[in-house]
Amino acid sequence: PPRPLMPGAYWNGWKAGGEGTCFPAGTLGHTGFTGTSVCLHLETAAISVLLTSRLNQENPPDLFDLRRRFHSSASNSV
């Protein structure tokens, strides 16, 4: 991105990570309707992708916390 973004702000369809988002600070992420998400870790040039499916369920689960834990773990692993 051309300049630092506030957490939760959008840049070309990507959400800036940080407080209040499911993505770590210093990342850009995008969530999908089916429960998928992708996170671009800007400092390390790593990408983490979570593939899930919450379709065809009567009460689909909220995946915010799962996404947050997954992408934070990926960010800490690189």
Side-chain angles (χ1 to χ4, degrees):
R3 57 182 165 65
L5 297 172
M6 296 295 297
Y10 284 90
W11 178 76
N12 287 348
W14 294 86
K15 185 179 236 180
E19 188 69 32
T21 73
C22 62
F23 303 108
T27 66
L28 293 174
H30 186 73
T31 59
F33 171 75
T34 62
T36 61
S37 57
V38 61
C39 184
L40 309 173
H41 305 266
L42 302 175
E43 287 184 20
T44 60
I47 300 171
S48 58
V49 178
L50 178 64
L51 300 176
T52 64
S53 178
R54 58 186 214 145
L55 296 181
N56 300 320
Q57 295 184 29
E58 196 168 309
N59 295 309
D62 180 3
L63 298 175
F64 181 89
D65 197 46
L66 173 66
R67 288 170 170 158
R68 184 185 54 75
R69 289 191 328 261
F70 175 81
H71 294 297
S72 290
S73 292
S75 184
N76 293 332
S77 298
V78 180

